[in-house]
Every structure is written in C-alpha cells, then in structure tokens.
Amino acid sequence: MDRRPPRGHRMVPHTADVRIEAWAPDREGCVAEAVTALVDTFVDTTGATPEATVEFQVPSGDDPDLLVGVLNEVIFRLETEGDVPLATEVRAANDGGLLVRWHTTGSDAVELVGAVPKAVSLHELRFGRGQEGWSGAVTLDV
C-alpha cells in the first residue's frame, strides 16, 4: 500500500457539495494546504502569476475555528475583491491565532473549472493533530 506524501490535499466525493481534505506535519502547513485544496475545487491556476500580496490575521480560537476563518476569508475576498490565492504562507501569531499571507491574482486571470464555494459548512468539520501530523476535512457549500 502506498503512503501519502507528508503534505498535501485532495477532493473527496460528496453528494451535493464539495469536500476537501488536507494534511501536513504542522498546523500552519495544513491550513495552507486546505486553502490550495479549496482553490483547486473551482479554478485552474496553471500559468497564473501573482499580481499582489495580501496579509491578514485570524484571531486566536479553537483550531477548527482558525481553519474555517481562513477558508471563509478566501471566499469573502473572492466575492468582494476578485482575489484568488495562488500561494499561501501561514504562521502562528503571538496570540495563538494565525498570520496569513497570500500571493494572489485576479479571478479573470484563471480558468473556472467548478462551482465557486459559497460557504464553509461546520457539518462534519474535522481539524487537528494526529499520529502523522495535522489533518483536516471540510465540506464547502456550492
């Protein structure tokens, strides 16, 4: 049986919405993988180049709340600014929250390949540390 790489993400079958899974050795890496997984569900970023850098902070909270906060920010900025993250860097903040930096492009610079997520569902949300690092699973309402 093949082992999965130490860091990555994938889309998994779900009846009506989209479900993503992400994993990494650390919490911050897992959040970054989840952002990439979310973006991969609706656009093809092949050939796109970053046009701007966006930074924001998610205040401290439970780990699942931090993940949801970052993913909701992706959806919010897509809807309000047309920003699509091409690369994500996540660091722990001093208050226990997260500092997030995205290298973004406009939604007009990428190809739409799926339904754009409208929200992150809290149903069956999973995010935490396990024996092989951090992992999470999220359902996206489309």
Side-chain angles (χ1 to χ4, degrees):
M1 177 186 213
D2 292 336
R3 290 180 43 95
R4 69 180 186 190
R7 181 176 171 141
H9 61 272
R10 67 182 182 154
M11 199 170 7
V12 293
H14 193 270
T15 51
D17 296 313
V18 174
R19 187 142 173 97
I20 58 172
E21 292 181 349
W23 60 91
D26 57 27
R27 178 182 75 166
E28 293 76 16
C30 191
V31 170
E33 286 293 335
V35 169
T36 303
L38 184 154
V39 171
D40 286 353
T41 68
F42 69 96
V43 293
D44 179 1
T45 61
T46 304
T49 56
E51 298 170 354
T53 300
V54 174
E55 296 180 350
F56 69 96
Q57 183 170 351
V58 178
S60 66
D62 293 334
D63 291 322
D65 293 339
L66 295 174
L67 174 63
V68 169
V70 173
L71 296 179
N72 276 332
E73 191 71 14
V74 173
I75 295 167
F76 173 76
R77 291 193 188 241
L78 176 66
E79 290 176 353
T80 61
E81 306 291 329
D83 288 342
V84 176
L86 297 177
T88 302
E89 301 165 21
V90 181
R91 294 181 293 132
N94 291 337
D95 71 352
L98 297 173
L99 300 170
V100 180
R101 175 183 292 158
W102 286 326
H103 302 283
T104 66
T105 193
S107 57
D108 57 344
V110 293
E111 181 181 351
L112 187 65
V113 295
V116 177
K118 301 295 179 205
V120 176
S121 173
L122 301 180
H123 181 68
E124 297 182 347
L125 170 67
R126 181 179 51 79
F127 183 61
R129 184 191 321 238
Q131 292 181 341
E132 296 184 19
W134 283 76
S135 65
V138 176
T139 300
L140 305 169
D141 297 331
V142 293

